[in-house]
Amino acid sequence: MKTKTKKFGVILLGITMMLGALTQCKEKKEDNSLILAAILYLSQGRAPGVYISGVLVDENNEPMANKTVTIKGRNETPTVVRTGTAANRGYYKNVLSATPFETRYADGDSKISSQCGSAVFALYGATQAAILGDRQLICDTSTLPAEASTAGIAESLVAAGEVVAQFTTDSNGAFVSQKFVIPNTGNTYTVEVDGAARNRRLRVARSGTSSLLTQSDIILGNNTTPTEQVASKYAFSIFNLVVEVEYPRPIRTLEGTLASNVFIGANEQVILQGTVIVPNGVTLSIGEGAKVYGSVSPGGALLVKQGGKLEAIGTATNPVVFSSEKAVGQRQPGDWQGIILQGNGIQTFGSIGGTAIGEGDVGTFGGNNNADSSGTLRYVRIEFAGAPFSPGNERNCLSLMGVGSGTTIDYVQCHRGFDDGFEWWGGAVNHKYIVSTANRDDQLDFTDGYIGKVQYAIAHLDTAASSSNDDTSRCVEGDGNTSNSCSASARTGGNCADPWFANLTCVASNGNAVATSGTNIGNGWYVRRSDGTALVGSISHAAILGTVGPLNCTAPTRYGDIVASSAIGTCTGGTALGANSASDAVTLTNINVTAPDWTPTAGTITASGNLKTVGSAQMNQAFFDDTNYRGAINTGGTKWWDGWTSFPAN
């Protein structure tokens, strides 16, 4: 194992694309992706400071080549009122997110004072009614990290007229990573361009979003009146405006095989450089709020071998996050290779109780101990994983190979993986409260003797992600055995995967409308690869909405108490576990995969009986809660995914 420390430029100020905000602008003519690539390249090893990049254009969006740009202080704090509508009216904190001003507060003096601070309120006090009208107030309440302050970056006001940056654009009007001489954040600056009749203002937040201000913006801050507006258009704008705060921060890099126990502290940041192996007898422990980034090249992965343990324990408000090392906005499915746990549980590929070679060339797994422990994952989010190890040989978001029931994996989300979300090969690990969203292939996939129990699982298919895939995407896909045939349940020593699923919510992002063939969306529950008589899996108390059909069984299965948006049908050779219901009336609060809420709002999800009593007691398992509703959440139930899940597009 190698652990080393390197300096890592952390982008604190998000990228703001100015095209939508600029007034009286024509369509951009040029692709400036090379500018952004150059920014990323030049960010490596830079000195601490505030940097600005972009492309300077005139009022007709033509590049302004060889122009001198000067940025000066204004002795202003950047509290801004923007023009809005009655629907937008309110008070917003500047938060670091893809939608910077999404945290909204109601009208009122007390709200301004409590959310934006009494000092901000005092700056304009009596003018509030005249200023607001149908406007929205955005107050920058963020704070500068201590590491930035230590590096000499300040939040104090820059005096009016004091020059903080001066540079000249190139022949394409571009400028890249120009450093502020006085590296201050939390200010509003004047931007002057040689030869331009009028100046513009640049708002630099302490964290979150920086932007050029438009004609309709009003600045409320030190030395500024609330009537500072202009009526005519500006003589210049900046495309691809990027403002960054860079400061040294120690980020550990893990590489190779860990030689001893390793602890990643709460809120610490770590990079997995290539495949990091946790071998037999070694534990990798991860504290709440830690961010573990998989490198893109070589593809990062975390491989926990038999006898090794992963203890990743977050909280509902501060989860452990595994993600791509790329910047927010640039991440994609398959950026890194994901997490692989390999245990000593029973797998049935080739021989029952023997070992097998795991998908993704990760070495052997399996044995005779279905009670084996590979550790704990609780309140963990895994995203943008699943890079192919070789063509057609993908690693998944979370690969569970021979993982035993001594392992705890609850409150875990797999999001936007290149292949499957959760995939099980053998073993008997149980789960409650798992979420699989927008993975390109199946959300949940099992095979080779898996006999675990899963309750309260949410599988959300994204039609856009599925349409770009070359395979049919399903909520749950189950193979009795990857060798294409099995003859008896692994529950009783046979070679067929045969898990239990209770309270599954399966939904496609088209909602109750039945998916069309062009999206590669398949069925909600799809089982195959047995000898035609051996049963593969049990599913009860489920809600399946928006897929091409609830069930597709080329191997028989046990099913019942399913509510769906199309006819349930029958499964040849299968066993019913209670009455089913086909009802287009069942709807969920929000089926948009970028902001889902799976709480039912209409239709009945009441089951025909309690989980443990219907279906000849098939679901009477000690691990299960005895629910009387279908799906992962009851009408009016607690949104157990709130706080620790997230659904970014990139």
Side-chain angles (χ1 to χ4, degrees):
M1 181 273 291
K2 301 176 183 177
T3 59
K4 61 185 182 183
T5 299
K6 68 178 183 180
K7 301 297 185 183
F8 191 77
V10 178
I11 298 177
L12 293 178
L13 302 183
I15 298 174
T16 300
M17 302 303 293
M18 298 304 300
L19 299 182
L22 300 176
T23 57
Q24 303 184 41
C25 281
K26 298 180 181 179
E27 182 179 4
K28 184 173 68 171
K29 292 185 176 181
E30 297 187 21
D31 177 6
N32 296 304
S33 58
L34 291 178
I35 298 297
L36 296 179
I39 294 168
L40 293 174
Y41 174 78
L42 292 177
S43 70
Q44 304 302 310
R46 293 184 306 189
V50 178
Y51 293 83
I52 183 172
S53 305
V55 179
L56 185 70
V57 296
D58 63 21
E59 61 186 27
N60 297 312
N61 291 340
E62 297 295 338
M64 299 177 71
N66 306 313
K67 291 290 185 180
T68 298
V69 179
T70 305
I71 302 177
K72 299 178 180 178
R74 293 177 60 90
N75 196 39
E76 290 177 350
T77 56
T79 301
V80 181
V81 173
R82 291 179 180 271
T83 300
T85 64
N88 291 329
R89 181 172 174 166
Y91 304 92
Y92 292 69
K93 280 186 179 181
N94 182 15
V95 294
L96 185 60
S97 67
T99 309
F101 308 118
E102 63 186 12
T103 304
R104 182 177 184 276
Y105 301 91
D107 286 350
D109 290 0
S110 63
K111 286 295 183 182
I112 301 174
S113 182
S114 63
Q115 301 298 341
C116 301
S118 57
V120 172
F121 175 70
L123 289 174
Y124 59 88
T127 65
Q128 169 203 343
I131 292 171
L132 285 175
D134 285 337
R135 299 179 188 273
Q136 54 184 339
L137 173 65
I138 302 166
C139 35
D140 181 9
T141 60
S142 57
T143 58
L144 192 66
E147 297 95 329
S149 299
T150 302
I153 298 167
E155 295 178 290
S156 57
L157 291 179
V158 176
E162 187 166 4
V163 175
V164 299
Q166 189 172 66
F167 50 87
T168 301
T169 62
D170 66 14
S171 59
N172 295 310
F175 55 96
V176 177
S177 291
Q178 298 297 322
K179 189 175 185 293
F180 282 29
V181 177
I182 302 172
N184 283 33
T185 63
N187 281 265
T188 303
Y189 299 96
T190 296
V191 181
E192 300 176 352
V193 174
D194 182 35
R198 290 187 43 243
N199 303 324
R200 297 199 66 168
R201 283 167 293 165
L202 171 69
R203 175 178 181 269
V204 176
R206 287 182 288 270
S207 66
T209 303
S210 301
S211 58
L212 277 180
L213 301 175
T214 65
Q215 290 97 315
S216 58
D217 291 327
I218 302 175
I219 301 295
L220 299 175
N222 295 11
N223 259 359
T224 309
T225 64
T227 57
E228 187 174 344
Q229 288 182 288
V230 294
S232 57
K233 65 182 179 180
Y234 290 103
F236 65 87
S237 295
I238 298 175
F239 285 145
N240 293 342
L241 173 67
V242 180
V243 179
E244 302 164 280
V245 174
E246 185 156 328
Y247 55 91
R249 175 178 290 180
I251 292 190
R252 271 196 294 169
T253 297
L254 299 183
E255 296 180 282
T257 300
L258 305 185
S260 59
N261 294 344
V262 172
F263 178 67
I264 298 173
N267 303 308
E268 188 179 354
Q269 299 185 53
V270 171
I271 290 179
L272 304 175
Q273 189 72 20
T275 298
V276 175
I277 300 173
V278 183
N280 179 36
V282 172
T283 298
L284 173 62
S285 301
I286 305 177
E288 67 175 86
K291 304 294 189 299
V292 181
Y293 302 107
S295 62
V296 174
S297 181
L302 181 60
L303 172 58
V304 181
K305 298 294 294 182
Q306 295 162 292
K309 284 185 171 58
L310 172 62
E311 299 287 341
I313 304 175
T315 67
T317 56
N318 199 22
V320 173
V321 178
F322 292 85
S323 190
S324 163
E325 70 168 340
K326 289 183 181 177
V328 173
Q330 300 174 24
R331 301 172 299 185
Q332 296 291 331
D335 277 348
W336 64 294
Q337 295 185 351
I339 300 175
I340 305 102
L341 302 185
Q342 294 184 317
N344 293 295
I346 298 170
Q347 63 80 36
T348 63
F349 180 77
S351 63
I352 299 173
T355 60
I357 302 295
E359 183 179 68
D361 295 340
V362 292
T364 59
F365 70 94
N368 287 294
N369 183 11
N370 263 350
D372 189 33
S373 173
S374 296
T376 304
L377 279 74
R378 183 180 294 119
Y379 292 113
V380 171
R381 188 166 74 246
I382 310 165
E383 56 192 23
F384 305 107
F389 184 79
S390 59
N393 191 13
E394 298 91 359
R395 293 179 176 180
N396 302 288
C397 174
L398 179 59
S399 299
L400 301 164
M401 302 178 177
V403 176
S405 61
T407 310
T408 298
I409 301 178
D410 300 328
Y411 297 99
V412 174
Q413 180 190 15
C414 283
H415 181 67
R416 293 202 183 275
F418 187 84
D419 194 43
D420 298 322
F422 296 77
E423 185 160 4
W424 300 267
W425 291 263
V429 61
N430 302 316
H431 308 274
K432 283 182 179 174
Y433 306 109
I434 61 174
V435 177
S436 192
T437 47
N439 297 286
R440 291 177 73 249
D441 196 9
D442 305 310
Q443 305 311 303
L444 311 168
D445 193 336
F446 66 82
T447 189
D448 292 343
Y450 175 57
I451 56 170
K453 303 170 185 70
V454 180
Q455 188 172 29
Y456 312 122
I458 292 171
H460 197 144
L461 298 166
D462 180 9
T463 54
S466 298
S467 64
S468 65
N469 196 7
D470 59 0
D471 195 7
T472 302
S473 298
R474 305 174 175 97
C475 287
V476 182
E477 179 177 288
D479 293 339
N481 197 292
T482 53
S483 62
N484 295 323
S485 182
C486 60
S487 56
S489 170
R491 300 179 190 177
T492 55
N495 60 345
C496 286
D498 202 4
W500 293 261
F501 282 78
N503 295 102
L504 166 74
T505 289
C506 162
V507 62
S509 56
N510 49 292
N512 274 359
V514 175
T516 61
S517 59
T519 63
N520 282 351
I521 295 279
N523 298 89
W525 173 267
Y526 176 70
V527 291
R528 61 184 179 178
R529 294 179 178 169
S530 81
D531 64 1
T533 61
L535 292 161
V536 176
S538 302
I539 180 171
S540 187
H541 287 55
I544 302 177
L545 307 174
T547 61
V548 296
L551 304 176
N552 186 345
C553 309
T554 60
T557 193
R558 310 169 194 85
Y559 63 101
D561 261 307
I562 297 172
V563 63
S565 51
S566 59
I568 305 293
T570 60
C571 179
T572 302
T575 302
L577 302 177
N580 298 307
S581 173
S583 172
D584 289 327
V586 175
T587 58
L588 307 180
T589 302
N590 191 343
I591 48 81
N592 187 329
V593 76
T594 63
D597 182 347
W598 300 286
T599 308
T601 57
T604 178
I605 60 168
T606 303
S608 66
N610 280 17
L611 177 68
K612 293 189 177 184
T613 57
V614 299
S616 302
Q618 168 62 216
M619 306 300 285
N620 188 11
Q621 305 296 319
F623 176 78
F624 287 142
D625 299 328
D626 196 15
T627 59
N628 62 357
Y629 59 89
R630 296 162 173 167
I633 180 172
N634 202 0
T635 302
T638 300
K639 299 175 184 179
W640 48 262
W641 59 85
D642 267 0
W644 58 276
T645 57
S646 185
F647 312 96
N650 47 43

